[in-house]
């Protein structure tokens, strides 16, 4: 990453990034300009949250049909059910953490992991919930098989990421969201649920930046639609740290937002027809 005073803004100058940002913004504008959004935005927000949680869980190995997610009330039975429950809780919690994010992103990340894990005081893993892993502690993250950074590197890079967020940037929201998402996946700072937490953090950045104030841009839907193989390939680009790799990861995240927007546009049109 660039060592300039605003490294995120430097990333925004990489070849192809401006085009990704512009394409994504057009997709966002189309949804926010839809006539249904002026009258029924709360319904679009609720549906985007549900579909985003489904997409988030799908990438973590629990690829349930939307209607199954919608109708289920018990999420404690098996690993897939717990993953879907964690994704639903994270989506609900994200909106409560927006004001804290810019002042204390590490506090937000700890809270997200606590929420994903279902709270404290419930088992033998309580001591590792809600804090970055220590040396020698295992990590369960089936989607990402990249080399795992050492605990001391994780601590240093988390501090660096926190500093970037708190300092602010002139970079477009997509760039900041992609870096937060990619860095958390690369680090896998927690013993579990890192993918769910990383994609929820991306959601928080997109909402908190003002790009998506009504939370109707479920990027998680797009990430799931693009598929696990493309996700891992794009993440490899981020981890490489090369200009082309970083640009490819940012473009991948931008495309995910666009696909999430397409989903919300379809919801708007269904509501307009009276079909949903």
């Amino acid at each position: 990453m660039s060592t300039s005073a605003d490294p995120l803004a430097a990333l925004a100058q990489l070849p192809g990034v401006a085009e990704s940002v512009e394409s994504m913004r057009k997709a966002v504008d189309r949804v926010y300009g839809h006539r249904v959004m002026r009258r029924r935005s709360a319904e679009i927000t609720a549906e985007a949250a549900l579909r985003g949680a489904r997409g988030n869980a799908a990438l973590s190995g629990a690829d349930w049909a939307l209607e199954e997610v919608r109708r289920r009330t018990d999420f404690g039975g098996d690993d897939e059910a717990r993953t879907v429950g964690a994704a639903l809780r994270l989506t609900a919690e994200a909106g409560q953490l927006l004001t804290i994010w810019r002042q204390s992103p590490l506090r937000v990340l700890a809270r997200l992991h606590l929420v994903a894990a279902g709270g404290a005081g419930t088992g033998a893993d309580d001591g590792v919930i809600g804090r970055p892993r220590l040396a020698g502690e295992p990590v369960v993250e089936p989607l990402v098989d990249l080399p795992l950074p050492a605990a001391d590197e994780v601590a240093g890079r988390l501090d660096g990421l926190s500093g970037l967020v708190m300092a602010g940037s002139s970079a477009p929201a997509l760039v900041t969201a992609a870096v937060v998402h990619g860095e958390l996946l690369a680090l896998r700072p927690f013993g579990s649920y890192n993918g769910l937490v990383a994609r929820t953090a991306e959601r928080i950045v997109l909402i908190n930046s003002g790009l998506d104030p009504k939370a109707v841009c479920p990027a998680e839907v797009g990430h799931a639609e693009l598929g696990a193989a493309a996700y891992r390939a794009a993440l490899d680009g981020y981890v490489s740290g090369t200009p082309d790799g970083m640009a490819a990861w940012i473009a991948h995240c931008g495309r995910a937002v666009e696909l999430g927007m397409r989903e919300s546009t379809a919801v708007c049109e269904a509501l307009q027809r009276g079909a949903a």
Side-chain angles (χ1 to χ4, degrees), residues 186-258:
L187 295 177
R188 281 147 290 160
F190 303 109
S192 58
Y193 297 113
N194 288 288
L196 293 178
V197 168
R199 291 183 289 274
T200 304
E202 179 185 54
R203 165 183 281 267
I204 288 172
V205 174
L206 293 172
I207 297 169
N208 209 33
S209 67
L211 175 75
D212 180 27
K214 294 184 182 294
V216 295
C217 305
E220 306 97 322
V221 168
H223 285 301
E225 185 172 338
L226 290 167
Y231 190 70
R232 284 192 292 263
L235 180 62
D236 285 346
Y238 177 85
V239 172
S240 76
T242 65
D244 286 349
M246 296 291 288
W249 170 250
I250 294 167
H252 183 87
C253 292
R255 180 61 179 152
V257 176
E258 289 185 51

Side-chain angles (χ1 to χ4, degrees), residues 68-102:
E68 178 70 4
V69 178
R70 196 189 302 279
R71 74 171 185 84
R72 283 283 288 269
T73 57
D74 177 15
F75 297 100
D78 55 27
D79 286 346
E80 285 197 6
R82 285 191 289 273
T83 296
V84 174
L88 287 166
R89 291 192 300 273
L90 284 170
T91 300
E93 186 73 11
Q96 309 303 312
L97 299 173
L98 298 177
T99 58
I100 305 172
W101 174 253
R102 183 62 66 84

